Amino acid sequence: TSLQICDAENEAEKATTDEDTVKPEEQNGDESKEKSDSRETEKRDAQPETGAGKVRRETDVAGDDIDALLETIEQSNGLTLQSEGCGGSDNRPVLYVEHRNLNPETELKRYFGARAVLGDQRPRQRQRQFHRSTWMTIPKDTWPRFSRPGISMTLLESRDGLQYFTFEHSRDYQQIQFKFLDSVESMDPNNIVALLQMNPYHIDSLLQLSDVCRIQEDQEMARDLIERALYSFECAFHPVCSLTSGTSRLDYLRPENRAFYLAVYKHMMFLERRGCPRTALEYCRLILSLDPDSDPLCMLLLIDFLSLRSREYNFLLRLYQDWEVHRNLSQLPNFAFSVALSHFHLSQEDQTESEERERLKHKADLLLQNALIMFPGVLMPLLDLCTVQPDAAVSSHDFFGPRIQDPSPALAELVSLYVGRTHTLWREGGVLLWLEECVREVLRRVDTKDPLVEDCQNKRKQRYQSAPLNIHRHVILSEIKEATSTLPLEVTTQSVMGFDPLPPLDSVASYTRPERQSVGASNESTLSLFFRSLLPNFNLQGEPMPQDDLEVAQAGRELNQEVNRLMVAMRDMLANIQFQEPPREDNPDRDEGEWD
């Protein structure tokens, strides 16, 4: 489902857009796709001596001359960190992923130099001969020795230059999965720890335990568990599965595939927090390329922020130009404002010629004014988070006052998400001055009855009728409090699990969990019984409820929302009291704030 934001006269056309429109990555021709994928297959089989992989393998040979080696590689590729895979003149698909950019060391070397990044790693890398070469993570000596956990990948079909894959679980892995679900229901993290000690590469246990570590502010262990999950996945890849060409697809409806989406997403967010936005952008494109039509994690709500943070303005504008026609990106608040901000930053760059700078600045002004007219509810929360006191002429004007607030909960959710995520990008002095100029011009256009003002007001009333599940899922994963507070009751009143938040209603299950024997109330843990007794639809015997009771349960949804929050808090408390970390090397000299 897509957000209902189309014009009334275009609704019929929009309904078929997701199925019939040819995506940008398909417009480059099937022949080029097949060649690209063929080259990708050769890369994985032959382990080419290029990019970050070459840097890792040649470290021992190169010795202290690693900076010269990196410079040589970049010159031979003809790429730079700012432009590789993102330039407007690039003929590759817009979702093409560069292997070397999946490695955060590539970005860190740019900032700090290769000697600072790789210096203490050289002796240990000689001991990693037994590990297979992977692109997304580098195995660590502290990890348990890898043995295949029972995950494999199958090629379902190839059509129109695309390959459709799915992960599969062996029978033994399915039994481990059932034990994991029992552990989750026990609400005791120690049970998951015990399961993970026996099965150190079980994906969902790694994802769930990573969340527990993150809640306890052990960011290092939380990252390590996610990287271990990614390594387990990558070792199961099909030989022809391409991470980089943008032609491999994974159906989110299959639970086995959802864990891969979530592992990559969590890894991406850790990278962004560590100060590697360019690497995070590469993973964002990877996730989007796995299912660009459905976009199950709604990466289009994040990709603009990562593009701006990594200063990949040209990539963002290229994505906007290629996808605006069939995806209506301008109807998303984040794209409306971020595209304007990209034009502004490009106009401020020193290498931009004066005429081009003037053209870009004029376009940026117009785009930001139109964004403010279309989404006036963005301004006041944005200024508030930027700790800026608006001018009296602005704060007293009806257009940006409470009366103009977003008429639909779906739009309020999108606006809150954008403001909560990107307000730091607007704090720069030059940006705030530019925003002030455009706000004054918007008020002038409002006072002079610019027809666009009324047109946008009508569009806000017609569009944004309801937010689809993938937007709610994205808001939950984002953990941005400004946005999570706008989630509707039907989302906040259901239990949300970190290993599979808001699963699709039409999931495709390849195997089912066997029915468990009903457990009497006397055998149920006191704490679990206490939790269930607070729910409006609680029934001690677990029997179906009469219709009258169902009506009472419906009336208690608001209470249920508060109870759900209590359950989350209690889970956190349990984790803090009972959780014991797996053995790991402690570094008492480590700076707690480093990269977190």
Side-chain angles (χ1 to χ4, degrees):
T1 335
S2 59
L3 190 61
Q4 299 174 19
I5 54 179
C6 49
D7 291 304
E9 63 270 19
N10 292 332
E11 286 180 357
E13 179 183 352
K14 174 67 178 168
T16 60
T17 298
D18 287 343
E19 296 178 1
D20 299 336
T21 306
V22 179
K23 297 292 177 262
E25 61 268 25
E26 297 170 16
Q27 294 172 355
N28 291 275
D30 292 345
E31 181 180 347
S32 62
K33 287 279 163 278
E34 291 168 0
K35 289 181 181 178
S36 175
D37 220 54
S38 174
R39 287 197 300 272
E40 183 57 41
T41 305
E42 292 171 6
K43 278 185 183 178
R44 296 190 60 81
D45 292 341
Q47 295 302 328
E49 298 297 316
T50 58
K54 178 175 180 179
V55 172
R56 291 198 298 269
R57 283 187 286 277
E58 299 245 353
T59 302
D60 299 333
V61 180
D64 290 335
D65 202 23
I66 192 71
D67 288 306
L69 174 63
L70 182 63
E71 185 178 352
T72 303
I73 292 171
E74 289 174 348
Q75 288 175 352
S76 65
N77 289 343
L79 301 172
T80 65
L81 187 67
Q82 286 297 316
S83 63
E84 55 198 10
C86 292
S89 60
D90 201 329
N91 292 324
R92 290 176 296 194
V94 70
L95 295 182
Y96 183 89
V97 175
E98 187 77 26
H99 264 149
R100 52 187 258 107
N101 289 334
L102 293 175
N103 185 353
E105 287 181 2
T106 304
E107 186 170 5
L108 293 175
K109 287 173 201 166
R110 178 68 60 183
Y111 299 147
F112 304 109
R115 193 170 290 109
V117 175
L118 293 177
D120 63 336
Q121 297 181 14
R122 292 169 189 170
R124 289 182 291 174
Q125 290 204 0
R126 293 191 183 96
Q127 303 171 11
R128 291 180 177 155
Q129 301 298 326
F130 63 92
H131 289 297
R132 65 170 287 176
S133 179
T134 50
W135 294 113
M136 293 188 290
T137 57
I138 301 176
K140 299 177 182 176
D141 295 335
T142 54
W143 289 358
R145 182 168 289 274
F146 181 76
S147 58
R148 295 195 176 276
I151 299 179
S152 59
M153 179 186 269
T154 301
L155 175 61
L156 296 177
E157 63 173 328
S158 298
R159 68 170 189 270
D160 302 327
L162 304 175
Q163 289 78 41
Y164 295 82
F165 297 92
T166 185
F167 286 102
E168 294 182 341
H169 294 168
S170 68
R171 189 172 296 275
D172 289 341
Y173 193 94
Q174 292 176 21
Q175 298 303 316
I176 301 172
Q177 188 73 6
F178 299 150
K179 292 178 183 177
F180 165 75
L181 295 175
D182 293 343
S183 301
V184 171
E185 289 179 357
S186 74
M187 295 168 58
D188 184 354
N190 285 320
N191 292 335
I192 302 178
V193 173
L195 180 66
L196 203 55
Q197 287 174 340
M198 297 295 295
N199 309 276
Y201 288 90
H202 178 254
I203 302 295
D204 284 350
S205 295
L206 292 167
L207 295 179
Q208 192 74 11
L209 207 54
S210 175
D211 283 346
V212 174
C213 292
R214 192 167 48 81
I215 290 169
Q216 293 181 312
E217 298 184 356
D218 188 351
Q219 302 293 331
E220 186 179 2
M221 176 60 71
R223 286 198 306 262
D224 190 79
L225 293 170
I226 294 300
E227 289 176 7
R228 202 196 299 180
L230 281 179
Y231 180 74
S232 184
F233 269 125
E234 196 167 359
C235 288
F237 272 12
H238 192 279
V240 302
C241 179
S242 165
L243 280 175
T244 61
S245 65
T247 60
S248 296
R249 298 288 184 266
L250 274 180
D251 191 351
Y252 194 81
L253 296 181
R254 296 176 180 266
E256 299 91 333
N257 295 340
R258 294 205 284 270
F260 181 70
Y261 277 88
L262 293 168
V264 177
Y265 180 91
K266 292 173 186 290
H267 184 57
M268 172 190 67
M269 296 312 296
F270 278 129
L271 289 169
E272 192 272 330
R273 294 187 191 109
R274 287 177 64 194
C276 297
R278 180 65 186 83
T279 312
L281 174 61
E282 209 73 12
Y283 278 97
C284 184
R285 298 200 312 198
L286 170 60
I287 297 173
L288 186 55
S289 74
L290 295 175
D291 191 351
D293 295 337
S294 302
D295 192 10
L297 298 188
C298 234
M299 304 312 293
L300 286 177
L301 297 180
L302 173 65
I303 197 167
D304 62 300
F305 170 69
L306 294 176
S307 299
L308 289 169
R309 278 221 50 206
S310 55
R311 300 180 181 178
E312 290 288 353
Y313 309 125
N314 287 320
F315 164 72
L316 180 60
L317 297 184
R318 183 187 171 202
L319 175 67
Y320 178 76
Q321 290 161 4
D322 286 359
W323 287 30
E324 165 62 12
V325 175
H326 58 280
R327 296 295 284 271
N328 296 319
L329 297 184
S330 60
Q331 297 178 23
L332 296 172
N334 60 307
F335 265 93
F337 283 89
S338 293
V339 168
L341 196 54
S342 292
H343 280 90
F344 174 77
H345 282 303
L346 286 172
S347 73
Q348 303 299 302
E349 291 183 348
D350 294 335
Q351 63 268 31
T352 307
E353 296 182 2
S354 57
E355 289 185 9
E356 178 68 6
R357 182 177 300 183
E358 192 174 325
R359 185 190 69 82
L360 287 167
K361 177 64 165 59
H362 177 72
K363 189 167 185 180
D365 292 346
L366 189 60
L367 286 169
L368 182 57
Q369 292 168 26
N370 291 344
L372 287 166
I373 291 174
M374 183 65 200
F375 306 107
V378 168
L379 182 64
M380 288 306 183
L382 181 62
L383 294 178
D384 184 52
L385 287 179
C386 291
T387 61
V388 172
Q389 185 68 31
D391 187 273
V394 177
S395 56
S396 62
H397 200 287
D398 286 343
F399 186 71
F400 291 117
R403 187 178 62 81
I404 201 70
Q405 290 307 307
D406 304 318
S408 76
L411 183 54
E413 191 173 338
L414 290 173
V415 166
S416 300
L417 179 71
Y418 175 74
V419 172
R421 173 173 280 150
T422 63
H423 63 273
T424 54
L425 302 178
W426 293 86
R427 282 179 176 167
E428 301 174 26
V431 174
L432 282 174
L433 289 173
W434 169 59
L435 176 62
E436 182 183 358
E437 294 172 7
C438 291
V439 168
R440 287 177 180 170
E441 180 62 21
V442 166
L443 292 181
R444 187 196 65 78
R445 291 172 64 178
V446 171
D447 293 338
T448 56
K449 307 295 183 183
D450 189 319
L452 181 65
V453 176
E454 185 178 356
D455 181 52
C456 288
Q457 185 177 357
N458 293 331
K459 286 177 179 177
R460 285 196 300 274
K461 293 177 181 178
Q462 295 169 7
R463 303 170 178 173
Y464 314 102
Q465 296 303 310
S466 62
L469 201 61
N470 61 339
I471 288 183
H472 298 325
R473 189 181 296 124
H474 179 94
V475 168
I476 289 173
L477 288 172
S478 74
E479 298 181 350
I480 295 172
K481 63 180 185 298
E482 290 85 1
T484 53
S485 63
T486 64
L487 287 168
L489 279 175
E490 60 264 23
V491 173
T492 56
T493 52
Q494 60 178 290
S495 180
V496 177
M497 293 300 176
F499 67 93
D500 190 8
L502 298 186
L505 302 177
D506 51 348
S507 290
V508 179
S510 57
Y511 62 93
T512 55
R513 186 182 180 189
E515 291 187 9
R516 305 176 66 195
Q517 294 182 350
S518 58
V519 182
S522 59
N523 294 330
E524 189 168 12
S525 73
T526 306
L527 187 61
S528 177
L529 190 62
F530 166 70
F531 281 141
R532 290 207 305 113
S533 68
L534 292 174
L535 301 177
N537 59 349
F538 171 68
N539 185 352
L540 183 64
Q541 304 303 324
E543 298 171 354
M545 296 178 62
Q547 184 61 34
D548 291 344
D549 291 343
L550 287 174
E551 293 176 1
V552 173
Q554 183 69 17
R557 290 174 68 199
E558 196 163 327
L559 171 64
N560 200 353
Q561 181 181 11
E562 297 302 322
V563 171
N564 193 56
R565 291 173 182 162
L566 172 64
M567 291 178 70
V568 172
M570 289 294 289
R571 283 196 195 101
D572 296 349
M573 184 189 74
L574 278 175
N576 287 321
I577 293 174
Q578 299 181 0
F579 175 65
Q580 298 173 352
E581 292 182 358
R584 66 183 180 91
E585 295 180 3
D586 288 317
N587 183 4
D589 298 326
R590 176 180 176 269
D591 181 3
E592 289 299 323
E594 185 179 359
W595 298 118
D596 289 342

